[in-house]
Amino acid sequence: MASFSSRVLALCARVPSGRVTTYGAIASALKSKAFRAVGQALNSNTYDFVSGDCTVPCHRVVCSDGSLGGFAYGVKRKIALLEKEGVHVRNGKVVDFHKKLYRF
DNA sequence: TATTTGACCAAGA
DNA sequence: ATCTTGGCCAAAT
């Protein structure tokens, strides 16, 4: 059994492009309520930033209210990536967040 | 082993 | 609408 953080990363990788998910959704999918631990796992997982090619798309993970929450490389970077995938961000919040929310 | 911290969440003031 | 409080869990110190 992989560690909690590994499972979190695995679920992130499952989120398709143009979609977003929430920390809560991930935790719930893991049968856990460790919303906070999810964020920590992602923060530790410094993924490769090579010309937009990322091993784990952590930028698709946002807060339950649609706000971006945080990002290890800066929220600005996160927004840029989301926009590139078709997820528009307005004033720090995901547009049509509930529509693009991915469910496992 | 114990305490603190954190990319959170929901509810109340 | 913003701010505070309490609760939750895992990883770091």
Side-chain angles (χ1 to χ4, degrees), chain A residues 25-89:
Chain A
I26 293 176
S28 184
L30 293 177
K31 306 274 196 300
S32 181
K33 297 156 209 144
F35 314 114
R36 317 183 68 186
V38 173
Q40 288 218 309
L42 295 177
N43 188 24
S44 296
N45 172 61
T46 59
Y47 68 89
D48 262 310
F49 232 115
V50 188
S51 306
D53 178 50
C54 40
T55 57
V56 180
C58 339
H59 57 271
R60 294 179 192 150
V61 185
V62 298
C63 294
S64 62
D65 64 345
S67 65
L68 297 183
F71 195 55
Y73 295 83
V75 180
K76 185 133 180 87
R77 197 64 178 264
K78 186 169 186 175
I79 294 174
L81 285 166
L82 288 172
E83 289 280 352
K84 196 152 74 171
E85 307 212 333
V87 180
H88 298 280
V89 177

